[in-house]
Amino acid sequence: MLILKNCTKSFKKTKALNDFSCEFKHGIYGLLGPNGSGKTTMMRCICGLLSPEKGSIECDCENIGYLPQQFGAMKSLTVYETMRYFATLKKIPKSNQDNEIRYCIDLVNLSDKIKNKVGSLSGGMVRRLGIAQAIMGNPEIVLFDEPTAGLDPEERVRFKSLLRKIKNDKTIIISTHIVSDVKSICDEIVIINEGRNVVQGTCSDITSIGNEKVFLLDEEYENNLEGNYYVKDRISKDNKNYIIVLSSNFIEQGVSINADIEDGYLCALKDI
Ligand SMILES: Nc1ncnc2c1ncn2[C@@H]1O[C@H](COP(=O)(O)OP(=O)(O)OP(=O)(O)O)[C@@H](O)[C@H]1O
C-alpha cells in the first residue's frame, strides 16, 4: 500500500505537485498527464529523491524499483557489469546476483547482449536495460517513467507481457502521456494535471467521462461552436473536411460518436 497525502513540491514558483493525494494498492496504475504535469516529480518523491515540502508519503514496503525518464548507464561497462553494479546497490546477496541478473536480462530480451558494452547498445536496448535494473530484486513497488519511449512495437508488446509476469503482489506505476499504452495493461488510471490528481478510475470509468461528448462535425460549423469544447482531430473524407469535437453541449449539426479512453482523458483534462 502506498499513500500520498496532500503532497506539494515546488520549484521556485512552479508547484510541480500541488496538494496531490492518491492511494495505490496492488496492481498496475497508469499515471497519465500532459508534459510538465508533475508525473516525474511524483515518482521522484515516492522513491525519496525529492522531498515534498508539504504532505506525507506512506509506504509499507522496503524495496522500490525505479526506471527514471532518462536512464543513464556507464557506456564503458557491459550489460552484465551494469546489472551487477545495480544488484550491489540494491544489496542483493552476492550468491543470488548472477541468477537475478540473467533472469531480468532475459525478461527484457537482452540475453544475447549481456557481454556487450552499454555504449554499443541502441537507445531502445538501453531503455530495456533500465527496465531490467528496475525490476531486479523483486521490489514491491516499481515506478516506470515512460518505459515504452523508444521501444519498437515488438518490444512494447514484450514489455506488456513482462508486466503481467511480474505484477503479482506489486504496485506498479507507469507514467506516460500515450493513452494507448495504458489502456490494455493498467488496472487503474490516475490523471494528473498541474500537479493535481484530476481523477482516478478504471479504464471504463475514464472512458465514460467522454460519453455523449464526442461529435463528428463538418468543419464549416466550427465557428458556430459554443460553450466548453475542444477540437481533438481533423480528418478529410471524400474531399470534405471534418473535425472531431469534444463538447459538453450537444452539437445538433454533428454526429455523435462513441467515446474511447483518450476522449475521456481529454474531457477530464479540459474540464469538458
Ligand atoms: N529540478 C527542477 N527544477 C525546476 N523545475 C522543475 C524541476 N523538475 C521539474 N520542474 C518543473 O515542475 C513541473 C513538473 O515537471 P515534471 O517533470 O514532474 O512533469 P512531467 O509530467 O513528468 O512532464 P513530462 O511528461 O514532460 O516528462 C514542470 O513545470 C517542470 O518544469
Side-chain angles (χ1 to χ4, degrees), residues 11 14 16 34-41 69 146 177:
F11 299 101
T14 307
N35 289 135
S37 54
K39 302 182 294 295
T40 297
T41 304
Q69 195 170 25
E146 301 195 19
H177 34 83

Side-chain angles (χ1 to χ4, degrees), residues 98-160:
D98 187 62
N99 277 347
E100 254 313 292
I101 291 170
R102 288 180 193 279
Y103 173 71
C104 296
I105 284 296
D106 182 50
L107 278 180
V108 298
N109 195 29
L110 277 180
S111 296
D112 59 337
K113 304 283 178 199
I114 201 156
K115 291 181 182 159
N116 291 36
K117 292 232 156 69
V118 171
S120 72
L121 301 180
S122 72
M125 289 174 192
V126 174
R127 202 81 198 127
R128 279 147 56 195
L129 175 58
I131 293 169
Q133 65 74 29
I135 59 175
M136 187 165 52
N138 200 22
E140 295 116 299
I141 295 178
V142 193
L143 311 171
F144 291 113
D145 200 343
E146 301 195 19
T148 52
L151 296 195
D152 65 40
E154 203 179 331
E155 291 303 333
R156 286 172 115 93
V157 172
R158 194 186 304 277
F159 177 68
K160 288 182 195 173

Side-chain angles (χ1 to χ4, degrees), residues 29-202:
Y29 289 81
L31 184 62
L32 275 181
N35 289 135
S37 54
K39 302 182 294 295
T40 297
T41 304
M42 190 195 105
M43 292 197 162
R44 301 190 83 208
C45 286
I46 293 172
C47 58
L49 293 170
L50 292 172
S51 307
E53 65 257 19
K54 276 191 210 152
S56 64
I57 298 177
E58 292 166 24
C59 166
D60 62 0
C61 80
E62 292 196 348
N63 298 325
I64 298 181
Y66 178 43
L67 170 71
Q69 195 170 25
Q70 272 144 4
F71 171 71
M74 274 165 60
K75 292 190 165 120
S76 57
L77 294 184
T78 64
V79 165
Y80 188 88
E81 288 163 347
T82 305
M83 290 294 281
R84 177 73 91 171
Y85 168 74
F86 281 105
T88 305
L89 285 183
K90 288 182 174 213
K91 299 193 171 69
I92 295 172
K94 275 222 162 87
S95 53
N96 290 354
Q97 286 189 0
D98 187 62
N99 277 347
E100 254 313 292
I101 291 170
R102 288 180 193 279
Y103 173 71
C104 296
I105 284 296
D106 182 50
L107 278 180
V108 298
N109 195 29
L110 277 180
S111 296
D112 59 337
K113 304 283 178 199
I114 201 156
K115 291 181 182 159
N116 291 36
K117 292 232 156 69
V118 171
S120 72
L121 301 180
S122 72
M125 289 174 192
V126 174
R127 202 81 198 127
R128 279 147 56 195
L129 175 58
I131 293 169
Q133 65 74 29
I135 59 175
M136 187 165 52
N138 200 22
E140 295 116 299
I141 295 178
V142 193
L143 311 171
F144 291 113
D145 200 343
E146 301 195 19
T148 52
L151 296 195
D152 65 40
E154 203 179 331
E155 291 303 333
R156 286 172 115 93
V157 172
R158 194 186 304 277
F159 177 68
K160 288 182 195 173
S161 41
L162 174 152
L163 288 177
R164 284 190 199 101
K165 257 187 211 158
I166 67 163
K167 75 179 259 188
N168 274 352
D169 301 332
K170 286 194 198 322
T171 301
I172 300 176
I173 306 177
I174 301 170
S175 143
T176 183
H177 34 83
I178 307 169
V179 185
S180 56
D181 262 4
V182 296
K183 72 175 176 195
S184 55
I185 36 172
C186 293
D187 302 307
E188 211 159 291
I189 289 171
V190 178
I191 297 180
I192 177 171
N193 195 24
E194 296 177 349
R196 291 179 182 276
N197 183 343
V198 177
V199 67
Q200 180 170 359
T202 62

